[in-house]
């Protein structure tokens, strides 16, 4: 973070910071991903509803996998540079749990203004708004994962990904990405549920209202996906065949005083939890670096109450790679053709991400606790078909590439999950 050493956050700088932020968004652009600055005099007039920009590459929303550094290009994969489209981007707003700032900034022109909503990695990084001396970079630290958003020329690109802004997440770990382009309109339709959900998520992240106002210039009427978020909180608890894969696992117990939401789901015989085995981790072709990103504490697995019977081996579609993707697959119907839904985003298979229930309280007033900020997308009305041993997943008329094959097998007697030894 050497480029961000000269941040100032004193109260007497607040007006200056907000003015810099106003300058960043006044052109009618926001993003959580990437952008390039264009002077006001060069800004095109926003199109009317009948003048949708011809540059909408993903007008209906698609799912892609991140490309491995040694893999060929294909229609199912995407690189960070392809998402950014550097010549078109105007400004960028990025959210990430962890990031390499120098690596991230190398993807933009030197004139690109960048806003980052980032997690505080240590006690010295206090919540607040920080700006670099040049005014090019602004960092917002809420008290805080996977949302990216770019305003391009005449449209906004929304990217929801399981990848952080680290090189390894885009080169040697398999991640999953949802992408949709939305037109910017002078009189965009109001009252869209997707837009309201996005506004709520930005407010939860303590993004300034000057940025949130720009959402009103975006036409979200084509959105078919649904937003799912987690926000640190405590809430009253309101009381199919599910598969879930994450790059981190936590406790799933048969009996516990802290009955987390994930445990309640895991009790069902129709729920399978996919996770890499030790052998898969040892044989991955990129060595120790990606393995360190797969998190599971050995003390949890060897606890006698751990529900190890729910663990399943998953086969990556790319041979000998480790998956950092977070995916849930819900299926119901006939065996050869089923319907259901898909989740993808930043939520891991942990109580911190999805919540846990305090069982010590009165049963009528049980409270669910959430520890993390998370952001994801649910794709409804997904179709699963299996013919001649090949699975096909479609949503909204388009193929959905998954990072794993849909046929999972329970762990064998000699299988162990990829663990962090303690």
């Amino acid at each position: 973070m050497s480029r961000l050493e000269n941040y100032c956050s004193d109260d007497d700088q607040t007006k200056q910071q907000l003015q810099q932020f106003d300058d960043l968004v006044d052109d009618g652009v926001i993003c959580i991903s990437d952008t390039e600055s264009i002077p006001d005099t060069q800004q095109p007039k926003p199109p009317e509803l009948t003048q949708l920009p011809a540059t909408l590459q993903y007008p209906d929303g698609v799912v892609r996998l991140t490309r491995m550094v040694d893999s060929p290009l294909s229609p199912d994969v995407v690189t960070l540079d392809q998402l950014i489209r550097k010549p078109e981007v105007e400004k960028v707003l990025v959210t990430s749990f962890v990031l390499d700032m120098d690596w991230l900034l190398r993807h933009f022109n030197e004139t690109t203004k960048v806003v980052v909503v980032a997690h505080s990695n240590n006690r010295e990084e206090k919540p607040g708004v920080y700006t670099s001396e040049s005014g090019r970079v602004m960092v917002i630290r809420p008290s805080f994962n996977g949302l990216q958003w770019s305003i391009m020329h005449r449209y906004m690109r929304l990217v929801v990904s399981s990848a952080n802004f680290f090189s390894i997440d885009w080169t040697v770990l398999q991640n999953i990405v949802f992408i949709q382009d939305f037109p910017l309109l002078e009189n965009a339709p109001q009252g869209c549920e997707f837009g309201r959900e996005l506004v709520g998520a930005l407010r939860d992240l303590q993004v300034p209202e000057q940025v949130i106002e720009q959402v009103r210039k975006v036409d979200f009427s084509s959105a078919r996906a649904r937003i799912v978020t987690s926000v640190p909180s405590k809430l009253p608890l309101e009381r199919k065949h599910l598969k879930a894969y994450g790059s981190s696992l936590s406790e799933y117990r048969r009996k516990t005083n802290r009955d987390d939401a994930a445990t309640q789901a895991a009790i069902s015989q129709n729920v399978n939890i996919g996770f890499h085995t030790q052998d898969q981790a040892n044989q991955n072709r990129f060595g120790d670096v990606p393995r360190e990103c797969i998190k599971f504490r050995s003390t949890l697995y060897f606890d006698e109450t751990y529900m190890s019977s729910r663990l399943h081996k998953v086969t990556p579609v790319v041979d000998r790679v480790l998956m950092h993707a977070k995916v849930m697959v819900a299926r119901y119907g006939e065996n050869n053709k089923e319907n259901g839904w898909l989740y993808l985003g930043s939520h891991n298979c942990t109580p911190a991400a999805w919540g846990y229930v305090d069982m010590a309280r009165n049963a009528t007033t049980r409270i669910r606790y959430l520890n993390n900020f998370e952001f994801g997308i649910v794709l409804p009305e997904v179709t699963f078909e299996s013919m001649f041993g090949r699975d096909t997943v479609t949503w909204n008329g388009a193929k959905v590439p998954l990072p794993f094959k849909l046929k999972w097998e329970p762990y064998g007697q000699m299988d162990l999950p990829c663990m962090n030894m303690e």
Side-chain angles (χ1 to χ4, degrees):
M1 283 219 172
S2 59
R3 300 189 187 189
L4 302 179
E5 293 173 350
N6 299 316
Y7 283 149
C8 54
S9 60
D10 296 334
D11 291 341
D12 60 357
Q13 298 294 328
T14 299
K15 180 179 290 188
Q16 176 188 351
Q17 294 166 358
L18 291 178
Q19 182 59 53
Q20 290 171 333
F21 203 96
D22 287 339
D23 293 341
L24 186 64
V25 299
D26 274 347
D27 294 342
V29 272
I30 316 176
C31 336
I32 297 188
S33 194
D34 347 83
T35 42
E36 175 183 352
S37 178
I38 296 180
D40 290 343
T41 56
Q42 299 179 22
Q43 288 292 333
K45 182 179 180 180
E48 298 297 331
L49 194 58
T50 57
Q51 295 177 299
L52 295 182
T55 51
L56 287 186
Q57 185 178 5
Y58 304 111
D60 300 318
V62 297
V63 176
R64 295 288 184 265
L65 302 176
T66 55
R67 179 187 171 221
M68 299 294 95
V69 67
D70 60 353
S71 298
L73 290 172
S74 81
D76 291 342
V77 301
V78 68
T79 65
L80 183 57
D81 286 333
Q82 289 173 324
L83 289 175
I84 289 174
R85 300 184 74 173
K86 189 173 182 178
E88 295 187 25
V89 202
E90 296 175 354
K91 296 181 176 70
V92 57
L93 177 63
V94 177
T95 75
S96 186
F97 181 68
V98 293
L99 78 161
D100 180 338
M101 185 65 74
D102 287 335
W103 176 83
L104 175 63
L105 293 179
R106 285 199 294 270
H107 288 79
F108 307 108
N109 295 326
E110 291 186 0
T111 56
T112 300
K113 293 184 179 179
V114 181
V115 178
V116 177
V117 183
H119 174 70
S120 296
N121 294 317
N122 56 59
R123 294 181 180 179
E124 296 179 0
E125 296 177 340
K126 297 180 180 180
V129 178
Y130 302 83
T131 56
S132 61
E133 274 191 341
S134 66
R136 180 196 174 197
V137 180
M138 174 175 286
V139 174
I140 303 168
R141 296 196 184 279
S143 331
F144 140 80
N145 218 10
L147 175 65
Q148 308 166 41
W149 168 14
S150 305
I151 296 286
M152 312 284 196
H153 177 66
R154 299 172 66 184
Y155 69 97
M156 186 194 88
R157 170 164 292 176
L158 176 70
V159 179
V160 180
S161 173
S162 59
N164 289 298
F165 282 98
F166 260 52
S167 174
I168 61 172
D169 280 35
W170 295 90
T171 55
V172 299
L173 281 169
Q174 185 75 86
N175 279 282
I176 194 166
V177 181
F178 174 83
I179 318 162
Q180 186 162 4
D181 296 336
F182 300 98
L184 297 177
L185 300 175
E186 190 66 49
N187 298 305
Q190 299 298 306
C192 173
E193 185 172 2
F194 190 92
R196 291 196 299 269
E197 291 172 347
L198 184 56
V199 166
L202 294 175
R203 284 179 174 153
D204 288 336
L205 291 173
Q206 302 171 28
V207 172
E209 289 295 322
Q210 295 97 319
V211 174
I212 294 174
E213 273 300 309
Q214 304 304 310
V215 175
R216 305 186 188 282
K217 299 181 180 181
V218 180
D219 179 8
F220 292 110
S221 60
S222 60
R224 298 293 178 266
R226 296 295 301 270
I227 292 173
V228 179
T229 64
S230 290
V231 182
S233 58
K234 61 177 185 178
L235 301 167
L237 178 67
E238 298 178 3
R239 277 219 172 243
K240 317 223 183 238
H241 195 98
L242 178 66
K243 292 183 177 181
Y245 176 84
S247 60
S248 298
L249 285 186
S250 187
E251 51 189 326
Y252 304 98
R253 304 173 186 273
R254 292 187 296 272
K255 296 179 181 179
T256 176
N257 290 327
R258 201 179 72 176
D259 184 15
D260 60 71
T263 297
Q264 293 184 35
I267 291 173
S268 167
Q269 293 301 307
N270 290 329
V271 174
N272 300 327
I273 302 171
F275 200 70
H276 283 301
T277 65
Q278 289 274 39
D279 286 344
Q280 286 178 313
N282 292 337
Q283 295 168 13
N284 97 84
R285 66 190 194 219
F286 295 114
D288 292 337
V289 172
R291 177 176 177 152
E292 293 175 359
C293 299
I294 308 300
K295 305 292 184 182
F296 188 13
R297 295 192 347 243
S298 59
T299 53
L300 294 177
Y301 180 73
F302 291 113
D303 189 298
E304 63 179 9
T305 64
Y306 189 82
M307 300 181 68
S308 57
S309 63
R310 296 291 90 214
L311 287 179
H312 283 62
K313 290 190 289 187
V314 291
T315 303
V317 295
V318 180
D319 188 43
R320 294 173 55 225
V321 302
L322 296 180
M323 296 177 290
H324 187 260
K326 290 83 172 163
V327 183
M328 287 189 177
V329 181
R331 303 169 64 176
Y332 46 88
E334 300 177 1
N335 289 331
N336 61 338
K337 186 173 182 179
E338 300 176 317
N339 297 317
W341 52 262
L342 284 174
Y343 163 87
L344 63 93
S346 71
H347 292 74
N348 266 307
C349 301
T350 63
W354 289 106
Y356 63 90
V357 178
D358 188 346
M359 292 295 290
R361 298 179 181 272
N362 186 295
T364 61
T365 59
R366 291 186 299 173
I367 302 297
R368 182 178 65 182
Y369 292 86
L370 284 164
N371 294 348
N372 292 359
F373 283 98
E374 308 284 358
F375 192 98
I377 288 288
V378 168
L379 307 181
E381 301 179 12
V382 175
T383 301
F384 304 88
E385 292 187 80
S386 181
M387 295 185 65
F388 307 110
R390 176 172 294 184
D391 295 312
T392 302
V393 183
T394 57
W395 172 75
N396 204 23
K399 175 187 174 183
V400 177
L402 294 176
F404 47 73
K405 297 179 180 179
L406 284 175
K407 185 177 181 180
W408 293 9
E409 296 181 1
Y411 273 27
Q413 289 185 344
M414 303 301 293
D415 288 323
L416 291 173
C418 174
M419 292 180 288
N420 311 102
M421 304 306 292
E422 302 167 29

